[in-house]
Amino acid sequence: MAFIPHTAADVEAMLAAIGVGSIEELFDEIPAGLRVKSLAGVPEALNEMQIGRLMTERARADGAPLSFLGAGAYEHHIPAAVWAITTRGEFYSAYTPYQAEASQGTLQMIYEFQSMIARLTGMEVANASMYDGASATAEAALMAVRANRKSKSMRILVPTTLHPHYRKVALTTASNQGLKFEELPYCTAEGVTLPGALERYAGQDISALVVQQPNFFGCLEDVDALTDWAHAHGALLIAVVNPTSLALLKPPGEWGAKGADIAVGEGQPLGVPLSSGGPYLGFMTCRMEHVRQIPGRIVGRTLDVAGRAGFTLTLQAREQHIRRAKATSNICTNQGLLMTAATIYLSLMGPQGLARTAAASHARARELVGALSRVPGVQPAFSGGYFHEAVLRLDRPVAPVLKALAARGILGGLDLDGYYPELGHALLVCATETKTSADIERYRGALSETLQPARAA
Amino acid sequence: MSNVPADLKYTKSHEWVRTLANGTLEIGITDHAQHALGDLVFVEVPEAGRAVKAGEQCAVVESVKAASDVYAPLDGEITAGNPRLADAPETVNAEPYAAGWLMRLKPNPGALAAADLMSAADYHQLLDAEGD
Amino acid sequence: MPTAEKVIFEYSHAGRGASDQWPQDPGPAALADLPAKLRRAAPPSLPEVGELEAVRHFTRLSQLNFSIDTHFYPLGSCTMKYNPKACNQYAMLPELLARHPLAPESHGQGFLACLYELQEMLKAVSGMEGIALSPMAGAHGEFTGVAMIRAYHRARGDAERNEIIVPEAAHGTNPATATMCGCVVREIPVDAHGDVDIGELKRAVGPRTAGIMLTNPSTLGVFERRVEEVARVVHEAGGLLYYDGANLNAILGKVRPGDMGFDVIHMNLHKTFSTPHGGGGPGAGAVGVGARLLPFLPVPIVGREADGKEGERYRWLTESDLPQSIGRLSAFMGNAGVLLRAYIYMRLLGRDGMQRVGEYATLNANYLLKRLRDAGFDAAYPERRASHEFIVTLKRQARELNVTAMDFAKRLLDYGFHAPTTYFPLLVPECLLIEPTETESKDVLDAFVTAMAQIQKEAEQEPARVTSAPHTMPVRRLDDVRAARQLDLTWKPATQQ
């Protein structure tokens, strides 16, 4: 029996000790009518060799196409040591560190993660992570409403340039608690939030303004002006940022005159493989004055009774297991394993490695945009600056083009038709340090051939 | 057995109320409450000028194992939150009825008479019933 | 165990780094187009260490942990069963790791097949009609379930229904979830035998009842014997039933929540289906629904075309397929890698293996309960069968010897066992909630009993040894009051402390 070590002799001895004749007797409190007779919908067991073969076949069927997809999940080199250590049984099969003395490894790891993320974002406090960037953004909105005592409106301004799935998750998560999300339009020429878009809110009660940098299009927002506007109008500023970009771009703690109040983002680029969308990790940071409003776990350093330094979960009174109905959130997890990978990744890459990764990614993206724009019928959609992702406009619908490319083993990017139809035939492309000039040339060539037949006619 | 000064009034939710010379009320949590919570790590008190209604949550006391809301015993206006508690929350444990006061409140006209407060003897009975 | 390890920043030296991990420097011209005012002025102060330094540091950190791979972990309500290595190995095949979430379905049929089959197997074991896999944790699943209940009532014009009934023994996430969904919590008591008080339930239901959240077996470790009656009372009042699947391991393969009358459930794949706890996550809180709530499931869900072309059968169902969906819960589709591990685990167990889980989890729990009682410990509900877990109360020891559940828990660490869950549920004073799981052998259970008996003796003869435990861990008991009063949440060099 898979994973069950009992022999017949064990079972006999145990039943005798309990004083019953069979295991079935132990279920005698359960009404007979509720007992399952058989589980027809579950197939018979496979052994490890068989499941290994099945999974290998399925994985191979999906292949390993050359991908230029970004849109919130980014392919970066992951040093071998990251997952070799993260999958050690002592990390992999450890529980939440409620018994601190038996969990100093995990607790110290979290403390190091908190420290690194705080430094990367330029913020004062970080928690032990959230489910992902989208849910972290939703929680940030809820937190801003709690923290912004002067505001009663629960209105959150959200740029249309914020990742469409993040906007949806915020709505699903927070609208039941009365938050109202209002969208800010963007400039279709430059791909960034219109500076004038905020003017109509002057004098109104706004709880928070969300700004994503780089935004969903890869474009660069005027974060200083937006942050200062928020603060001048009594709103908190929630920054949504890409952690790799922070090696080169100004961190949210330094935006505007006072810096962001809450900064969140998706930590996947830090040593977590794409794996079809998860598990990832959201990071969440804030100014120290708001620390009691931040959801999720936090680790603090303290002393033990012998005066030795050690680590423990702290500020738990905010959390569900104590506060119950009045908790800051119902969250009962942090993405422990992914946070472990991110901490090891950041340690192995260091500031230089991260800066190089960001720079090389940006260079490749520029090269990609340049190469593809040389194909007749393709041009950049926006005129402003971008970072490692950009939108191209095609002279025909994008979906069939992507299909043709996929048939050639290339995933060309994300069709924006379902998300931003006003942009016309728009394609979001991304290149990171993992792409070579040869890869880019292969894409350019395939795109050119795909678009050519129609043009020749 | 916890300390229950005879000259104060009490609420069911373990707050005490003292009438000051100028008619302002001083409010805190009882010895029983501070003992149940354990060492306090954080206290949040309301801002002066805030209007509150009876039963409204206006302060929070937090220990490592629990966080409790403190409620306004009657309608009125907060005149002060104890400024000492931000840096020294343990004052509430050490002196719950003296230096560990949480807030001061000016009651609305008639509010004190209408308030649901109990005498020290009645509060004693409540504690006995709860098994303290 | 090894003694403590420095913080990684303390190993840092300017200029050190694992340079073979860095891509080639594209040169400053590559960044010339980035506006100066958006550039970071100084590089982030991350640690600068060599690769071996980092590897040693993190390997040593791992050695400061207890884990299932190294220790018995009888944490009630957490289901700390063996995490099969095969689940990890095959979920981490390179092609599966490399797949982008937005890759087209043409390049995802293998992956989607696994998820579709997982949905089907979860339907079979739960007795529900529809499954969504995107909630990323148990609490997230709870949120999803209650949000669907609210959506259901709203769709019927019943917007007044905003009360969620919760037994007082419930896990803290239940009332926290109700609040997150904009609901009001009504707590009802359990009776002396650990069952929900039906009389109190009848008084609590009414026109404002949105639903009830139940765990079965309950957090007290006993089966809710009158669950069908509870279902009737709540349904008749117009409310729906939510099942918190935290304790599904007790009844896996033996009873199905759908058959008990539940309208919506969440399952903790990281408990019952053995995906790794990872030091605090990632989890996965798959939800299941009955017919009434099918339209409200969160997206995306895997669908199968009945007559799809050869090799192109699976696709994502999104908002256009489910217009009444409560919406999206994650940026992509939830914790895909966790779902794959659960899939592999369920395939390894198969039909018969699934039933063995409930049986042996229950056998182990009842055996351990009996042996502990024989050793002199008090069960909280002595007249009841244990489910997959049970509660031992140490209130007598606390009263007579001044030794608490916390003290026993800490001393168990010295004996090489992770402590059981302590002080939950809040209802039972000085409690230990003990869940051995089915993957532990009789020898391990016997050793645990021996340790507990030994600690009891120490408590009687040498209590200080217990009350000042642990003695052999990397740290002694930690000052958590100090941790909360003097917040040290990020490392600062000595000069800044």
Side-chain angles (χ1 to χ4, degrees):
Chain A
M1 288 180 296
F3 317 124
I4 290 174
H6 302 60
T7 63
D10 290 332
V11 174
E12 211 182 295
M14 293 169 81
L15 291 174
I18 298 168
V20 293
S22 69
I23 295 180
E24 279 311 298
E25 262 184 74
L26 298 174
F27 289 89
D28 56 11
E29 287 186 358
I30 301 180
L34 287 179
R35 308 276 287 279
V36 171
K37 306 291 176 285
S38 89
L39 291 177
V42 181
E44 283 193 24
L46 299 177
N47 64 25
E48 194 174 304
M49 181 178 77
Q50 291 169 319
I51 189 66
R53 189 166 165 163
L54 175 66
M55 293 304 292
T56 304
E57 279 164 12
R58 288 201 170 152
R60 278 214 197 109
D62 292 347
L66 181 63
S67 170
F68 293 90
L69 278 164
Y74 302 98
E75 186 184 345
H76 289 293
H77 164 69
I78 302 176
V82 172
W83 285 90
I85 298 175
T86 301
T87 52
R88 283 179 70 92
E90 298 95 326
F91 285 134
Y92 188 85
S93 69
Y95 189 62
T96 307
Y98 289 124
Q99 293 290 352
E101 302 85 353
S103 319
Q104 288 297 293
T106 293
L107 288 164
Q108 184 168 335
M109 180 76 75
I110 296 174
Y111 182 81
E112 294 182 3
F113 172 80
Q114 288 170 189
S115 305
M116 291 184 206
I117 291 293
R119 286 155 177 238
L120 194 57
T121 55
M123 304 292 287
E124 294 175 293
V125 171
N127 72 11
S129 75
M130 313 291 287
Y131 306 133
D132 69 353
S135 59
T137 304
E139 292 277 359
L142 289 165
M143 178 180 166
V145 164
R146 287 193 297 273
N148 191 348
R149 297 298 174 82
K150 300 202 171 70
S151 168
K152 305 265 174 285
S153 68
M154 299 209 277
R155 292 166 72 191
I156 312 281
L157 299 181
V158 175
T160 310
T161 56
L162 173 67
H163 195 304
H165 292 174
Y166 283 38
R167 282 182 275 136
K168 289 203 172 132
V169 170
L171 210 61
T172 306
T173 308
S175 51
N176 271 326
Q177 290 188 66
L179 267 65
K180 303 177 220 14
F181 295 96
E182 298 178 36
E183 284 203 8
L184 298 171
Y186 68 99
C187 168
T188 44
E190 289 181 41
V192 292
T193 303
L194 280 167
L198 290 170
E199 275 159 29
R200 55 183 285 248
Y201 295 100
Q204 295 181 27
D205 177 4
I206 302 294
S207 298
L209 167 65
V210 179
V211 175
Q212 184 181 5
Q213 181 79 317
N215 67 25
F216 180 68
F217 300 138
C219 297
L220 296 172
E221 303 270 2
D222 187 354
V223 294
D224 294 325
L226 293 166
T227 303
D228 290 336
W229 185 94
H231 290 146
H233 292 81
L236 296 187
L237 194 292
I238 298 172
V240 181
V241 288
N242 172 316
T244 309
S245 75
L246 293 180
L248 297 178
L249 297 182
K250 188 154 67 170
E254 293 170 28
W255 290 4
K258 296 207 238 148
D261 300 286
I262 305 169
V264 301
E266 175 53 63
Q268 174 274 324
L270 305 177
V272 178
L274 292 169
S275 38
S276 284
Y280 291 168
L281 73 160
F283 58 87
M284 190 163 189
T285 65
C286 69
R287 294 153 71 89
M288 187 55 91
E289 69 188 88
H290 300 310
V291 71
R292 290 195 138 74
Q293 300 305 327
I294 199 170
R297 300 204 174 108
I298 299 192
V299 167
R301 188 150 79 151
T302 183
L303 301 177
D304 73 358
V305 294
R308 245 181 324 201
F311 301 92
T312 187
L313 292 175
T314 190
L315 297 180
Q316 291 186 82
R318 305 154 301 125
E319 292 190 77
Q320 54 78 23
H321 60 288
I322 289 176
R323 209 76 168 94
R324 296 173 68 87
K326 299 205 173 123
T328 47
S329 167
N330 74 344
I331 193 166
C332 190
T333 191
N334 69 313
Q335 300 288 80
L337 211 57
L338 297 317
M339 178 223 67
T340 301
T343 310
I344 300 172
Y345 173 88
L346 285 171
S347 304
L348 285 166
M349 297 305 275
Q352 282 209 62
L354 201 64
R356 285 268 191 101
T357 300
S361 296
H362 184 60
R364 284 284 169 272
R366 288 184 60 198
E367 197 184 322
L368 177 70
V369 170
L372 298 182
S373 303
R374 286 201 301 279
V375 175
V378 181
Q379 52 183 288
F382 302 125
S383 58
Y386 60 89
F387 182 78
H388 103 5
E389 245 177 325
V391 180
L392 300 173
R393 200 171 266 126
L394 302 192
D395 64 357
R396 70 197 66 185
V398 173
V401 175
L402 286 180
K403 203 160 163 191
L405 288 170
R408 299 168 72 137
I410 298 171
L411 302 185
L414 183 68
D415 181 358
L416 295 185
D417 179 56
Y419 301 109
Y420 299 92
E422 69 276 9
L423 289 178
H425 308 307
L427 173 67
L428 181 63
V429 300
C430 171
T432 62
E433 85 284 8
T434 58
K435 300 291 162 273
T436 63
S437 296
D439 293 331
I440 292 171
E441 174 49 33
R442 184 176 150 203
Y443 184 179
R444 189 209 62 76
L447 183 62
S448 183
E449 283 168 27
T450 304
L451 296 182
Q452 244 169 17
R455 294 197 65 79
Chain B
M1 265 309 272
S2 63
N3 180 22
V4 181
D7 60 326
L8 302 179
K9 293 265 181 272
Y10 298 86
T11 69
K12 289 198 196 74
S13 43
H14 307 285
E15 290 104 9
W16 56 261
V17 180
R18 168 185 286 128
T19 308
L20 299 175
N22 60 2
T24 305
L25 303 180
E26 196 176 65
I27 296 157
I29 62 169
T30 65
D31 185 40
H32 166 87
Q34 71 77 19
H35 182 75
L37 284 164
D39 292 310
L40 291 189
V41 300
F42 180 73
V43 179
E44 189 187 293
V45 296
E47 275 177 18
R50 178 174 152 192
V52 294
K53 289 200 151 353
E56 188 180 320
Q57 182 253 319
C58 49
V60 182
V61 287
E62 185 186 313
S63 68
V64 286
K65 59 178 183 177
S68 270
D69 293 320
V70 181
Y71 303 95
L74 43 77
D75 297 352
E77 184 187 304
I78 303 288
T79 57
N82 188 339
R84 207 170 143 168
L85 303 180
D87 289 325
E90 61 272 17
T91 314
V92 177
N93 296 107
E95 297 182 51
Y97 299 109
W101 61 272
L102 291 177
M103 56 197 168
R104 292 183 178 141
L105 172 110
K106 180 167 133 199
N108 285 350
L112 185 52
D116 186 17
L117 300 176
M118 47 176 115
S119 66
D122 289 339
Y123 182 62
H124 246 304
Q125 275 201 338
L126 181 90
L127 291 182
D128 285 340
E130 282 189 15
D132 180 19
Chain C
M1 292 188 87
T3 54
E5 171 61 19
K6 291 201 291 202
V7 174
I8 183 116
F9 294 92
E10 297 175 272
Y11 290 102
S12 185
H13 278 87
R16 282 216 187 126
S19 54
D20 67 311
Q21 303 295 346
W22 309 343
Q24 297 201 317
D25 190 346
L31 304 176
D33 65 319
L34 295 175
K37 69 169 186 166
L38 294 179
R39 292 289 303 274
R40 190 171 190 130
S45 52
L46 296 170
E48 293 179 80
V49 294
E51 184 162 337
L52 176 55
E53 276 184 306
V55 168
R56 246 183 217 153
H57 169 73
F58 291 110
T59 303
R60 281 205 288 254
L61 279 190
S62 78
Q63 294 168 335
L64 300 177
N65 267 0
F66 275 32
S67 63
I68 300 174
D69 274 15
T70 53
H71 295 77
F72 177 44
Y73 234 110
L75 277 171
S77 196
C78 302
T79 312
M80 301 296 284
K81 64 170 87 178
Y82 170 58
N83 302 139
K85 302 295 180 187
C87 298
N88 188 53
Q89 178 165 304
Y90 294 110
M92 290 189 83
L93 289 170
E95 298 92 338
L96 293 172
L97 287 187
R99 187 172 176 278
H100 192 282
L102 300 170
E105 285 149 4
S106 57
H107 286 69
Q109 289 297 302
F111 167 72
L112 290 170
C114 293
L115 259 50
Y116 183 82
E117 288 171 18
L118 177 65
Q119 286 172 184
E120 294 297 299
M121 287 193 287
L122 289 175
K123 265 194 228 173
V125 300
S126 65
M128 307 305 284
E129 310 225 359
I131 300 280
L133 299 173
S134 58
M136 292 178 277
H140 211 204
E142 288 180 43
F143 170 82
T144 307
V146 178
M148 287 193 284
I149 290 176
R150 283 220 86 180
Y152 168 82
H153 289 304
R154 273 205 204 101
R156 304 177 81 222
D158 240 345
E160 315 274 280
R161 289 187 181 271
N162 70 342
E163 283 186 4
I164 294 285
I165 299 172
V166 170
E168 55 181 348
H171 192 271
T173 49
N174 290 174
T177 296
T179 306
M180 271 195 96
C181 290
C183 293
V184 171
V185 175
R186 280 198 77 150
E187 278 202 354
I188 53 169
V190 295
D191 66 22
H193 306 286
D195 297 310
V196 157
D197 188 322
I198 295 281
E200 290 292 335
L201 176 64
K202 287 183 176 156
R203 272 187 283 282
V205 297
R208 300 194 70 108
T209 302
I212 183 171
M213 295 176 84
L214 274 187
T215 311
N216 195 13
S218 75
T219 56
L220 303 171
V222 296
F223 192 83
E224 197 71 62
R225 290 175 288 196
R226 299 165 75 179
V227 63
E228 289 168 294
E229 200 181 335
V230 170
R232 207 167 30 246
V233 169
V234 174
H235 279 144
E236 271 169 22
L240 296 183
L241 268 80
Y242 176 92
Y243 178 80
D244 179 331
N247 289 335
L248 187 61
N249 212 50
I251 55 170
L252 187 63
K254 311 300 286 180
V255 187
R256 304 189 315 171
D259 297 337
M260 290 193 261
F262 288 96
D263 299 289
V264 51
I265 76 172
H266 90 267
M267 290 169 280
N268 297 62
L269 301 191
H270 48 289
K271 296 185 180 184
T272 322
F273 300 100
S274 203
T275 69
H277 289 271
V287 293
V289 294
R292 269 187 272 232
L293 293 179
L294 274 175
F296 304 100
L297 282 171
V299 288
I301 297 175
V302 184
R304 188 163 73 170
E305 302 294 341
D307 54 354
K309 325 201 286 288
E310 183 63 60
E312 184 114 359
R313 302 166 69 208
Y314 299 102
R315 69 175 187 89
W316 287 115
L317 304 179
T318 61
E319 289 95 334
S320 42
D321 303 289
L322 280 104
Q324 286 184 287
S325 163
I326 57 164
R328 195 173 255 288
L329 297 168
S330 88
F332 301 109
M333 43 73 49
N335 286 342
V338 175
L339 302 172
L340 287 175
R341 285 167 174 81
Y343 172 72
I344 296 165
Y345 176 75
M346 291 186 87
R347 293 305 310 261
L348 284 167
L349 285 185
R351 186 181 312 141
D352 291 342
M354 221 66 76
Q355 295 194 297
R356 298 292 95 80
V357 169
E359 287 170 5
Y360 283 82
T362 303
L363 173 66
N364 272 1
N366 279 280
Y367 174 73
L368 191 54
L369 171 61
K370 182 68 167 45
R371 293 232 37 226
L372 283 170
R373 291 187 67 198
D374 288 346
F377 290 97
D378 302 322
Y381 296 97
E383 79 288 5
R384 300 290 311 264
R385 291 266 185 240
S387 55
H388 65 326
E389 66 186 7
F390 58 91
I391 301 177
V392 156
T393 168
L394 299 177
K395 67 178 186 228
R396 180 170 46 87
Q397 287 83 342
R399 197 178 53 235
E400 293 172 4
L401 306 168
N402 261 315
V403 176
T404 64
M406 172 72 75
D407 298 325
F408 266 78
K410 298 301 183 192
R411 188 68 178 127
L412 273 168
L413 302 180
D414 290 325
Y415 279 84
F417 298 102
H418 193 282
T421 302
T422 53
Y423 301 105
F424 175 80
L426 301 166
L427 231 47
V428 182
E430 299 298 335
C431 69
L432 298 177
L433 179 63
I434 302 174
E435 178 185 353
T437 85
E438 74 282 7
T439 58
E440 299 295 338
S441 71
K442 181 172 167 299
D443 306 335
V444 170
L445 305 184
D446 291 338
F448 181 76
V449 174
T450 304
M452 285 289 285
Q454 192 53 32
I455 298 172
Q456 172 70 25
K457 253 224 275 285
E458 288 176 0
E460 288 158 9
Q461 294 166 2
E462 225 196 326
R465 197 119 185 80
V466 183
T467 56
S468 60
H471 305 284
T472 58
M473 296 290 106
V475 292
R476 305 278 304 278
R477 282 202 209 186
L478 291 159
D479 187 347
D480 47 9
V481 173
R482 182 199 162 98
R485 280 195 191 152
Q486 296 175 38
L487 294 175
D488 174 354
L489 309 176
T490 58
W491 186 82
K492 295 167 186 51
T495 47
Q496 284 177 37
Q497 277 166 16

